[in-house]
């Protein structure tokens, strides 16, 4: 069972989560926790502010004070008073910030160490509370029990061959030993070569939970959020959005990659490797909601549209060969440019002499350098292609039953015609679950609402 930051935002929420865990007496769950509330954001803010102040001013930084007060107040409200393990971590965190201030440098490695304090604090606090309620627990830092990753700080990949057997061995209960619920840090791992703390990217606690599920051979991983499951669209855009009862792993992965924030994009990978593992999204604020069950397969007979996702602020790039038809190697040259610049693309449409594709600038570029970096990228195509860019476009991803494409697209284009919206690009190919439409940013929300009205 994994619980996110909003589920752990206060003493009241922690009591509720403890109650949820204890309401499954027939199971002995393994628990993965995120940092409390907005702690990760506060730690990132503290790191930036430490670069701008003298070392002596670090203890009084506002974000650091907020983190200290939150954890001390929560411990007191849970009836635990001052906790030596919490105070020790708070002191270590402050020392790291002082070091950042002295060095006037915040490396990716140091930032991963800094943000790790959120999960390390929340798991110790929660494990202590459960013990105070008579529930046997053991707190574990994931990086200490075998969660092994690449050394790509801030967005490391899990190394499954090393990780799965190590986690299984670390969490196995010796015969006759007393049972204790494992409380494990989400989001964190250890770099295979550096031995340093790494992080799995934003939302990486979901991935921690499914990795543990695969390692332990459990039947179900429950990801507890603050919504009633995966929804038919973003409720901030479509007020009538409602939970989707069932999804496949492929559908859930496409949803996550194209903007749905309920699950980490890589969280389905471990589940796909284990035939018997399902993932269920539940709401910690509304326990009685059925949630969304995500599994390997589902009956698609009556499924037309599953969910509609909007991804805004995207750049569309059109690349046209300057040579004649029949030029083999054109696509290879195009994608060599993206490989050399370490840029991935979202959506692609191709012909023999042209390629249209989208780039998510929020993932790739510094906000104040986007134009310069795009010009540099365009010049890399040299004399073998002409390149043009269109900024401020949106990807509308239709997670649907692609076997019924004709029926779906007939209705989609009827809606687009009614709304007087022109599609700049469309992609439907290798994915059997996703049709992507590119429209102007200014039209994106209107189109999503209109399509939701049509299909739901």
């Amino acid at each position: 069972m994994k619980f996110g930051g909003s589920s752990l935002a206060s003493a009241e929420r922690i009591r509720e989560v403890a109650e949820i865990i204890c309401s499954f007496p027939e199971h002995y769950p393994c628990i993965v926790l995120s940092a409390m509330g907005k702690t990760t954001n506060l730690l990132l803010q503290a790191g930036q502010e430490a670069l701008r102040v003298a070392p002596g001013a670090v203890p009084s930084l506002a974000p650091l004070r907020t983190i200290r007060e939150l954890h001390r107040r929560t411990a007191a409200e849970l009836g635990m008073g001052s906790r030596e393990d919490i105070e020790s971590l708070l002191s270590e965190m402050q020392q790291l910030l002082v070091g950042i201030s002295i060095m006037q440098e915040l490396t990716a490695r140091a930032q991963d160490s800094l943000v790790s304090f959120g999960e390390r604090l929340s798991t110790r606090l929660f494990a202590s509370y459960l013990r105070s309620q008579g529930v046997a627990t053991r707190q574990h830092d994931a990086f200490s029990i075998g969660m092994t990753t690449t050394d790509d700080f801030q967005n490391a990949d899990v190394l499954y061959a090393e990780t799965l057997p190590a986690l299984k061995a670390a969490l196995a209960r010796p015969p006759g030993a007393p049972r204790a619920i494992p409380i494990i840090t989400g989001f964190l791992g250890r770099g295979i070569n550096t031995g340093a703390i790494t992080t799995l990217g934003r939302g990486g606690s979901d991935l921690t939970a499914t990795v543990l599920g695969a390692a332990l051979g459990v039947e179900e991983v429950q990801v507890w959020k603050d919504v009633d499951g995966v929804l038919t669209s973003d409720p901030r855009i479509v007020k009538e959005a409602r939970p989707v009862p069932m999804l496949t792993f492929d559908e859930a992965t496409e949803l996550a990659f194209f903007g749905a924030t309920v699950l980490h994009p890589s969280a389905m990978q471990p589940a796909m490797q284990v035939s018997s593992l399902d993932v269920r999204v539940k709401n910690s604020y509304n326990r009685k909601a059925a949630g969304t069950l995500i599994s390997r397969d589902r009956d698609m007979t009556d499924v037309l549209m599953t969910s509609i996702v909007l991804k805004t602020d995207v750049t569309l790039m059109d690349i046209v060969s300057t040579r004649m038809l029949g030029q083999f190697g054109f696509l290879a040259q195009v994608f060599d440019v993206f490989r050399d610049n370490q840029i991935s693309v979202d959506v692609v449409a191709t012909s023999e002499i042209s390629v249209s594709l989208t780039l998510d600038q929020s993932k790739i570029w510094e906000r104040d350098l986007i134009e310069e970096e795009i010009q540099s990228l365009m010049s890399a195509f040299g004399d073998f292609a002409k390149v043009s860019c269109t900024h401020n476009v949106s990807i509308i991803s239709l997670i649907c039953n692609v076997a019924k494409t004709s029926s779906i697209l007939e209705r989609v284009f009827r809606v687009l015609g009614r709304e007087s919206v022109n599609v700049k690009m469309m992609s439907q190919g290798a994915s059997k679950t996703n049709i992507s439409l590119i429209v102007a940013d200014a039209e994106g929300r209107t189109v999503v609402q209109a399509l939701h009205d049509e299909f739901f």
Side-chain angles (χ1 to χ4, degrees):
M1 301 168 77
K2 177 262 173 178
F3 293 90
S6 61
S7 299
L8 302 162
S10 64
E12 179 188 355
R13 295 302 310 148
I14 286 175
R15 287 192 190 96
E16 178 74 15
V17 168
E19 206 174 292
I20 291 170
I21 291 167
C22 295
S23 67
F24 293 87
E26 72 279 17
H27 295 292
Y28 220 70
C30 176
I31 309 302
V32 174
L33 301 182
S34 298
M36 285 185 69
K38 302 292 183 184
T39 299
T40 301
N41 288 342
L42 289 166
L43 285 163
L44 290 168
Q45 191 182 331
Q48 292 301 318
E49 291 189 16
L51 293 170
R52 298 195 292 268
V53 300
V58 165
S60 57
L61 288 176
L64 181 56
R65 285 204 317 270
T66 303
I67 293 167
R68 276 198 302 256
E69 288 164 8
L70 171 64
H71 290 85
R72 286 171 177 168
R73 182 178 69 249
T74 304
E77 289 175 0
L78 292 171
M80 296 189 295
S82 178
R83 295 284 317 172
E84 190 178 323
D85 53 352
I86 300 297
E87 292 302 322
S88 174
L89 277 178
L90 289 171
S91 174
E92 191 181 328
M93 178 175 66
Q94 182 174 301
Q95 287 169 11
L96 177 55
L97 286 165
V98 168
I100 290 165
S101 173
I102 292 170
M103 296 297 293
Q104 286 298 289
E105 184 180 34
L106 179 55
T107 63
R109 177 172 177 161
Q111 184 167 295
D112 274 6
S113 289
L114 180 61
V115 297
S116 77
F117 284 98
E119 279 73 14
R120 291 156 74 186
L121 285 164
S122 67
T123 50
R124 283 163 175 80
L125 195 61
F126 189 78
S128 297
Y129 173 67
L130 274 183
R131 282 195 292 271
S132 75
Q133 301 303 300
V135 180
T137 63
R138 287 191 66 190
Q139 186 275 343
H140 301 278
D141 293 324
F143 53 80
S144 296
I145 57 169
M147 184 69 78
T148 307
T149 71
T150 59
D151 294 290
D152 302 305
F153 297 104
Q154 300 179 1
N155 198 21
D157 291 322
V158 176
L159 298 174
Y160 291 100
E162 292 80 5
T163 294
L164 297 183
L167 289 175
K168 184 175 182 179
L171 294 171
R173 182 166 58 98
R179 296 205 302 180
I181 293 178
I183 311 291
I184 300 171
T185 56
F187 179 55
L188 308 177
R190 190 183 295 283
I192 189 166
N193 295 317
T194 60
I197 294 172
T198 56
T199 59
L200 306 179
R202 279 306 183 107
S205 295
D206 295 343
L207 178 55
T208 304
T210 52
V211 168
L212 280 160
L216 298 173
V218 301
E219 292 177 8
E220 184 171 296
V221 170
Q222 294 183 350
V223 180
W224 291 77
K225 302 279 185 175
D226 55 3
V227 291
D228 283 347
V230 178
L231 304 180
T232 50
S233 194
D234 186 336
R236 292 168 297 185
I237 300 171
V238 180
K239 290 180 182 175
E240 307 83 17
R242 57 177 188 260
V244 177
M246 297 187 73
L247 286 173
T248 64
F249 292 137
D250 287 338
E251 288 175 314
T253 301
E254 292 279 336
L255 275 166
F257 271 120
F258 285 98
T261 56
V262 175
L263 285 170
H264 187 280
S266 301
M268 297 303 109
Q269 288 177 0
M272 289 176 177
Q273 296 183 23
V274 181
S275 59
S276 59
L277 179 61
D278 292 340
V279 177
R280 192 183 299 272
V281 181
K282 296 275 286 177
N283 189 350
S284 66
Y285 288 79
N286 180 15
R287 278 192 253 173
K288 293 180 180 176
T292 300
L293 180 66
I294 308 170
S295 54
R296 187 172 299 278
D297 300 298
R298 69 179 179 122
D299 183 0
M300 301 292 286
T301 308
D302 298 322
V303 175
L304 197 63
M305 188 69 63
T306 300
S307 187
I308 302 170
V309 191
L310 179 69
K311 189 175 191 177
T312 60
D313 198 19
V314 170
T315 294
L316 172 63
M317 186 172 275
D318 294 304
I319 305 160
V320 182
S321 171
T322 53
R323 300 170 192 169
M324 295 184 299
L325 293 175
Q327 285 292 322
F328 61 83
F330 172 61
L331 285 180
Q333 286 181 291
V334 168
F335 285 100
D336 278 348
V337 171
F338 290 105
R339 182 196 61 198
D340 294 343
N341 286 272
Q342 297 185 312
I343 292 174
S344 61
V345 301
D346 278 339
V347 177
V348 185
T350 67
S351 71
E352 188 176 13
I353 60 163
S354 68
V355 184
S356 295
L357 45 80
T358 61
L359 311 171
D360 179 359
Q361 49 208 45
S362 67
K363 283 184 189 170
I364 317 161
W365 295 305
E366 297 289 338
R367 302 306 305 169
D368 53 348
L369 292 175
I370 287 175
E371 205 51 53
E372 292 93 323
E373 288 171 309
I374 285 181
Q375 289 302 322
S376 172
L377 179 64
M378 289 170 70
S379 67
F381 290 94
D383 59 356
F384 76 87
K386 291 187 293 185
V387 185
S388 61
C389 275
T390 306
H391 299 308
N392 304 87
V393 300
S394 292
I395 304 172
I396 298 174
S397 293
L398 310 175
I399 308 303
C400 57
N401 185 351
V402 176
K404 300 179 180 180
T405 298
S406 298
S407 300
I408 293 166
L409 289 180
E410 179 190 1
R411 293 170 67 178
V412 165
F413 281 99
R414 195 185 310 138
V415 169
L416 293 169
R418 206 162 55 230
E419 298 292 334
S420 302
V421 170
N422 285 316
V423 174
K424 298 178 182 296
M425 172 182 149
M426 177 179 152
S427 179
Q428 177 210 330
S431 169
K432 303 306 176 196
T433 59
N434 183 4
I435 298 172
S436 291
L437 310 170
I438 314 301
V439 302
D441 261 347
E443 299 168 328
R445 295 172 74 94
T446 303
V447 172
V448 169
Q449 179 70 66
L451 289 172
H452 195 277
D453 290 346
E454 170 70 24
F455 286 99
F456 297 104

